[in-house]
Amino acid sequence: MNKDYLFLKNLYTLLDSGYNMEEALIICDHIMHHDVIAEMLMKMQLGEDLQTIILESHMPKLFLEYFRFFQNKNSLSEAISKSLNICMMNEEYRQKLKAKLTYPLILLTFLFLFSIFVVFFLLPQVNQLFTSFGIQKGVLISIMFTFFNLLPLLIIGTSGTLIFMAFRLIIALKHKSYRIIEWYLRLPIFGICLQKYFSLKFALYYQELLQEEIDSATIINMLNEQMTETDLKIVLYEINNRLSEGEALEDILEDFEYFDSLFISFFQMYITNPTQKDSLSHYIKLTYEQIDFWIAQLLKYLIPAIYVFVAVFVITIYISIIIPMMNVISDI
């Protein structure tokens, strides 16, 4: 748990225990100093609203996004608690993903460094030996040497492209650039990830408003008016506009590209039977389990594939370098 989340956890625990905001902040400062505490206390003395103080603080953006939504429907401690729980869940899955991908990334890094060694240290020496012994490289050997030279560029190009596309998508989400986002939705892997992202986020907000006995059209309209600072605004704006034009929500979902098929199935079940208010909660739980399964399946094939590639790479080096040298030595 990072420093921000630990501070927020202590804060809502104290508020929930009956302490006022000033007392809770002072105790939090004694537990663990945080730079925002002094700023919050100063703004409280100036008479600023507590919710505004939190929203203007230097807390994680994800927390502030959810707090902005929950503050109007819960007590201050509940709003902090619900927002923090979502952030902690996201952080937990991010750490799990990082832990699972660390080993494959280490293997890929080793492969990249080994290919650099081959290209810049081994091949120049081998070429000198071939020249000194008068060895003529055949077509197969020439192709292998070309592959060795291109492998680092291939790894750099692939990694660079993926990193660039990921950053471009993050910037597009931040600035709500719907044309760029719609282009990413048509890409195989990015499209699936985006659909899961929008579906989960929509389900979290929608599930909260379901507890207030509000119909679907009103919920969409409320979310569209409130969620002006989030990338979910792209989804809400389109749904709300189509509802305003007279389309039924069921018809909108039939071909709605922002949501994944699993979410649409659960949402249609709820629309058919509004008493099933836990449908979206089930979707959220099952989606995280589905993501875990996908990651496990990916690693199940990715790690052996990297091992096989490294083995083939080493054997290819042996065949293309050592065997020609052995043939020359045997002819002497």
Side-chain angles (χ1 to χ4, degrees):
M1 184 183 296
N2 64 33
K3 190 175 182 180
D4 292 331
Y5 292 157
L6 183 57
F7 161 67
L8 289 167
K9 182 180 180 181
N10 292 333
L11 180 61
Y12 90 73
T13 301
L14 291 167
L15 290 172
D16 196 48
S17 300
Y19 294 90
N20 62 40
M21 186 68 168
E22 184 175 2
E23 292 171 337
L25 286 172
I26 292 172
I27 295 173
C28 285
D29 196 35
H30 287 302
I31 295 173
M32 180 189 64
H33 176 72
H34 197 293
D35 295 337
V36 301
I37 295 177
E39 182 183 350
M40 286 181 170
L41 288 170
M42 183 185 67
K43 288 183 177 180
M44 283 184 63
Q45 293 173 357
L46 296 174
E48 288 193 33
D49 180 70
L50 296 179
Q51 283 82 359
T52 304
I53 291 174
I54 294 176
L55 288 172
E56 292 178 351
S57 65
H58 298 289
M59 288 290 102
K61 291 182 179 179
L62 183 63
F63 168 80
L64 294 177
E65 178 182 325
Y66 286 110
F67 180 79
R68 188 175 285 108
F69 173 75
F70 287 119
Q71 64 168 328
N72 298 321
K73 301 163 184 64
N74 301 274
S75 66
L76 183 62
S77 61
E78 286 177 331
I80 295 173
S81 176
K82 288 186 176 182
S83 304
L84 183 59
N85 286 339
I86 295 172
C87 293
M88 291 293 293
M89 185 169 59
N90 287 337
E91 182 67 19
E92 180 184 350
Y93 272 86
R94 189 180 295 112
Q95 292 301 324
K96 283 183 179 179
L97 180 62
K98 187 186 297 184
K100 290 178 179 179
L101 293 180
T102 297
Y103 184 60
L105 288 175
I106 290 174
L107 290 178
L108 288 172
T109 303
F110 166 76
L111 176 61
F112 172 69
L113 294 176
F114 184 63
S115 66
I116 292 292
F117 168 76
V118 170
V119 170
F120 291 100
F121 296 97
L122 184 59
L123 287 186
Q125 297 296 325
V126 171
N127 282 325
Q128 287 183 5
L129 284 174
F130 278 18
T131 302
S132 62
F133 282 98
I135 300 174
Q136 297 295 323
K137 289 183 285 188
V139 176
L140 181 60
I141 300 298
S142 298
I143 292 174
M144 289 180 178
F145 273 45
T146 302
F147 170 74
F148 296 152
N149 283 299
L150 291 178
L151 184 59
L153 295 176
L154 180 63
I155 296 174
I156 293 172
T158 303
S159 303
T161 301
L162 290 175
I163 293 171
F164 169 76
M165 292 184 71
F167 272 109
R168 186 167 181 254
L169 176 57
I170 292 170
I171 293 171
L173 288 169
K174 182 179 179 180
H175 295 285
K176 297 184 277 293
S177 305
Y178 71 94
R179 293 187 184 277
I180 297 176
I181 293 171
E182 287 178 353
W183 180 77
Y184 274 93
L185 281 167
R186 291 190 287 270
L187 300 179
I189 297 177
F190 285 98
I192 293 172
C193 293
L194 273 173
Q195 286 179 335
K196 285 294 181 188
Y197 172 76
F198 283 123
S199 298
L200 276 172
K201 209 166 189 179
F202 181 84
L204 285 167
Y205 288 121
Y206 197 97
Q207 179 66 27
E208 177 68 17
L209 290 177
L210 275 181
Q211 311 307 317
E212 301 183 15
E213 303 293 336
I214 306 174
D215 64 272
S216 297
T218 305
I219 290 177
I220 299 294
N221 185 56
M222 289 177 62
L223 289 174
N224 183 54
E225 292 177 354
Q226 292 180 20
M227 311 304 294
T228 55
E229 302 297 325
T230 173
D231 46 32
L232 193 61
K233 176 68 175 179
I234 302 169
V235 177
L236 296 167
Y237 179 79
E238 183 171 344
I239 295 177
N240 191 59
N241 277 359
R242 293 174 67 172
L243 285 172
S244 301
E245 293 170 359
E247 283 191 65
L249 187 55
E250 297 90 332
D251 297 332
I252 296 173
L253 292 176
E254 285 295 331
D255 61 346
F256 200 65
E257 61 181 344
Y258 288 94
F259 294 150
D260 73 299
S261 58
L262 181 62
F263 171 77
I264 292 175
S265 297
F266 273 102
F267 199 74
Q268 286 173 336
M269 290 177 193
Y270 162 71
I271 293 174
T272 304
N273 184 8
T275 59
Q276 294 182 343
K277 292 186 177 181
D278 292 331
S279 294
L280 297 186
S281 296
H282 295 153
Y283 164 76
I284 294 169
K285 180 181 178 181
L286 288 173
T287 296
Y288 279 112
E289 291 176 357
Q290 186 183 48
I291 292 172
D292 283 339
F293 175 77
W294 284 351
I295 294 172
Q297 289 296 107
L298 172 65
L299 297 180
K300 179 181 177 181
Y301 296 103
L302 179 61
I303 293 176
I306 295 174
Y307 277 131
V308 170
F309 186 84
V310 171
V312 171
F313 189 42
V314 172
I315 292 170
T316 303
I317 291 173
Y318 176 81
I319 293 173
S320 59
I321 296 175
I322 304 301
I323 291 181
M325 295 301 300
M326 294 297 293
N327 291 335
V328 170
I329 293 173
S330 64
D331 291 338
I332 295 176

